[in-house]
């Protein structure tokens, strides 16, 4: 994962993206992948009979939807972050004993760079669909490997196991989560 992120970041920079825009692309990619993986895991859990508490599922899905909506809103109008950024910057400067407006110009330059990012609802939907398709294809590959080895796992069990393994594997104790 680290090599992949580094490669993508460098390619974005080679193609002319600013550091802020290249970083934003990595963040959005990560958010879409996390939401897709969580939906896959929740779908598998639902298929396994975890539907006894539907409020938990509703709140989780609502939270992910809210996260995507927030990301899209910020991508469309990054100036909405200006007030929050100015306030946080003034607190940090106060704690460091610096003048209140230190770094304000750089913060506003960063917001101008973020304005160059365009993410419509349609583009967000397409990106999310491909991200979710990636996870579904991975589960299908795992299923075919299990069937080829003579196993007969359920699709719901495979989905939950895959989502759990990917989530735990993202803990960076060892490269690729091998220790976990």
């Amino acid at each position: 994962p680290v090599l992949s992120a580094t490669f993508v970041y460098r390619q974005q920079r080679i193609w002319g993206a600013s550091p802020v825009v290249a970083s934003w692309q990595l963040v959005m990619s990560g958010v879409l992948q996390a939401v897709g993986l969580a939906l896959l895991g929740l779908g598998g859990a639902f298929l396994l009979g975890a539907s006894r508490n539907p409020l938990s599922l509703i709140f989780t899905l609502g939270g992910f939807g809210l996260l995507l909506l927030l990301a899209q809103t910020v991508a469309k109008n990054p100036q909405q972050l200006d007030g929050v950024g100015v306030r946080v910057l003034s607190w940090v400067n106060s704690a460091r004993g610096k003048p209140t407006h230190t770094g304000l110009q750089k913060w506003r330059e960063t917001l101008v760079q973020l304005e160059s990012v365009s993410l419509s609802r349609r583009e967000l939907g397409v990106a999310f669909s491909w991200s979710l398709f990636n996870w579904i294809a991975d589960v299908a590959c795992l299923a075919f490997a299990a069937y080829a080895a003579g196993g007969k796992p359920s699709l719901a069990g495979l989905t939950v196991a895959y989502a759990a393994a990917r989530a735990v594997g993202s803990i960076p104790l060892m490269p690729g989560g091998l220790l976990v």
Side-chain angles (χ1 to χ4, degrees):
V2 173
L3 294 176
S4 167
T6 303
F7 175 77
V8 168
Y9 180 82
R10 285 185 180 166
Q11 284 301 118
Q12 293 289 323
R13 295 287 292 135
I14 288 170
W15 294 335
S18 70
V20 172
V21 172
S23 299
W24 180 253
Q25 186 271 336
L26 284 173
V27 167
M28 286 303 296
S29 174
V31 167
L32 290 175
Q33 286 182 2
V35 169
L37 182 60
L39 284 176
L40 191 67
L42 287 171
F46 186 74
L47 290 173
L48 282 175
S51 60
R52 291 182 185 91
N53 188 0
L55 288 179
S56 158
L57 185 63
I58 290 170
F59 284 126
T60 304
L61 292 177
F64 288 133
L66 190 62
L67 181 64
L68 287 175
L69 186 62
L70 178 66
Q72 183 196 17
T73 301
V74 169
K76 276 190 167 185
N77 189 4
Q79 291 302 326
Q80 294 173 343
L81 294 176
D82 187 48
V84 173
V86 169
R87 196 170 304 130
V88 169
L89 192 58
S90 70
W91 291 337
V92 169
N93 286 335
S94 174
R96 293 174 50 205
K98 302 251 182 189
T100 306
H101 297 295
T102 302
L104 187 60
Q105 182 62 31
K106 185 67 175 168
W107 168 249
R108 294 216 164 116
E109 287 173 11
T110 300
L111 289 179
V112 167
Q113 289 179 25
L114 280 177
E115 285 180 350
S116 67
V117 175
S118 175
L119 186 64
S120 69
R121 281 199 170 111
R122 182 177 186 274
E123 291 166 337
L124 180 65
V126 168
F128 177 71
S129 297
W130 281 111
S131 179
L132 187 59
F133 174 76
N134 175 52
W135 294 123
I136 292 170
D138 281 350
V139 170
C141 183
L142 178 62
F144 290 134
Y147 293 135
K152 305 231 184 289
S154 70
L155 184 59
L158 278 174
T159 303
V160 171
Y162 179 79
R166 289 296 298 200
V168 170
S170 68
I171 299 171
L173 297 175
M174 292 279 291
L178 293 175
L179 178 65
V180 178

